[in-house]
Amino acid sequence: MIQMNKVVYTPVSQVPLRELLSPLAIIRALWVHRQLVMAFARRDFAATHRETYLGIAWTVLSPLIMLALFTFVFGGIFHGRFNTSLEESPLDYALALFVGLSLFNMVGLMLNGAPSLLISNSTYVKTLKFPVEILPVAFVLNALFNVGISFSLCLLLSLYKHGGLPLSTLALPVLIAPLILLCLGLAWILSASSVFVRDIPSITSPLTTILMFTSLVFFPLSSVSPHLAFLFQFNPLAILIESTRGAVLYGVWPHIGTLAPLYVASLLIAMFGYGFFIKSKIAFADVL
């Protein structure tokens, strides 16, 4: 059973604009409900594996099955390579693919799962004193847990294959941070928008497929024609996947000139998403 803290409801019209656009104000607002966020994150995780025979084991088996399939198709049939300067074994290719899939799956989950988030929790949405803005946060935490499991598998396999990990692996938290901000922004925007526009899931489904093939999941940026490479450089997820793959597998430290715009863009998306959600939530109960 989920325990809810006492919530003081403030009408949306009385929320100062600086509190909607200030990162510190957003963090303080969410920190007040941190126990509620964790309770809903645990609830969502338990619901995902409820009534299954293998339970939590699916969080490991599912990415491994997808990894095996994509490795067979793109590595075995199409003979894909990520690092042309080194001799790359099938396991090396699989690890590079695993890194890209792990990061993409988190964003893909936002695109496909966030639109139905408020609709499936309409009971809480109709309770005006309930802080519905925490539902997307719990959703992101649950997705982050799955990414953590995937990366743990990746690091263990890399440690087994090479006998150690590059020092640049320490940069992993710095690379994951903008992904969290990006996913929070997407979750707030998509969940709020879908309350008013029920066509959102029909749009995000093909968009997820397009994003998969334009985010350097299956191939490196070096293999892209110079005439098309600039298109990938405007994709935050592609930049993030390329930088993370380099740091975790090839010992390449992320460049500050690459990370700075990524942080700025992710922070702006998160701030806009939160502000849009808070300004929209007064109408949620009426629409649902």
Side-chain angles (χ1 to χ4, degrees):
M1 183 175 179
I2 296 175
Q3 298 180 349
M4 291 188 292
N5 296 333
K6 183 178 179 181
V7 177
V8 179
Y9 177 68
T10 302
V12 175
S13 59
Q14 297 180 13
V15 178
L17 184 61
R18 65 178 180 274
E19 292 189 11
L20 298 180
L21 300 179
S22 168
L24 291 179
I26 295 174
I27 292 173
R28 284 196 298 267
L30 297 177
W31 181 254
V32 172
H33 306 294
R34 60 190 180 280
Q35 295 180 351
L36 194 58
V37 170
M38 296 304 299
F40 269 87
R42 288 192 294 268
R43 183 206 68 165
D44 292 344
F45 180 77
T48 302
H49 307 288
R50 187 179 297 136
E51 298 181 357
T52 61
Y53 288 108
L54 297 180
I56 193 175
W58 282 114
T59 60
V60 177
L61 291 176
S62 294
L64 287 179
I65 292 171
M66 294 301 297
L67 173 66
L69 174 62
F70 285 132
T71 301
F72 172 73
V73 174
F74 292 95
I77 298 178
F78 293 106
H79 304 290
R81 289 178 62 88
F82 280 104
N83 196 335
T84 56
S85 61
L86 299 174
E87 184 178 349
E88 189 174 66
S89 67
L91 181 56
D92 290 325
Y93 177 84
L95 289 173
L97 183 59
F98 206 10
V99 170
L101 279 176
S102 299
L103 297 179
F104 166 78
N105 283 340
M106 185 167 178
V107 177
L109 185 60
M110 296 304 110
L111 293 175
N112 291 304
S116 62
L117 192 58
L118 297 183
I119 298 172
S120 61
N121 289 280
S122 59
T123 302
Y124 297 108
V125 175
K126 292 177 182 178
T127 305
L128 291 181
K129 291 187 178 181
F130 183 82
V132 288
E133 60 272 16
I134 65 100
L135 293 176
V137 180
F139 188 65
V140 171
L141 281 180
N142 191 22
L144 185 62
F145 177 75
N146 292 325
V147 171
I149 292 178
S150 296
F151 265 98
S152 297
L153 290 172
C154 179
L155 294 177
L156 287 173
L157 288 172
S158 182
L159 183 63
Y160 166 77
K161 175 65 168 58
H162 303 289
L165 297 173
L167 189 60
S168 55
T169 304
L170 295 174
L172 189 56
V174 179
L175 291 164
I176 295 297
L179 177 67
I180 297 174
L181 292 173
L182 176 63
C183 288
L184 280 173
L186 289 175
W188 277 318
I189 293 170
L190 292 174
S191 59
S193 300
S194 297
V195 173
F196 309 104
V197 183
R198 299 301 173 90
D199 295 332
I200 296 294
S202 300
I203 298 172
T204 57
S205 181
L207 183 61
T208 303
T209 304
I210 295 172
L211 186 64
M212 178 186 292
F213 289 99
T214 57
S215 297
L216 304 178
V217 174
F218 305 108
F219 49 87
L221 183 61
S222 58
S223 66
V224 179
S225 168
H227 301 291
L228 299 175
F230 75 95
L231 295 175
F232 293 87
Q233 294 173 355
F234 286 99
N235 181 349
L237 184 57
I239 297 172
L240 186 61
I241 288 176
E242 188 82 350
S243 299
T244 305
R245 187 179 285 139
V248 173
L249 300 178
Y250 307 132
V252 179
W253 288 91
H255 194 273
I256 189 171
T258 301
L259 287 183
L262 191 61
Y263 265 87
V264 172
S266 301
L267 182 60
L268 289 176
I269 291 173
M271 291 165 55
F272 172 80
Y274 181 79
F276 176 74
F277 190 100
I278 294 299
K279 286 297 185 181
S280 302
K281 76 173 185 177
I282 194 172
F284 289 164
D286 294 333
V287 176
L288 293 176

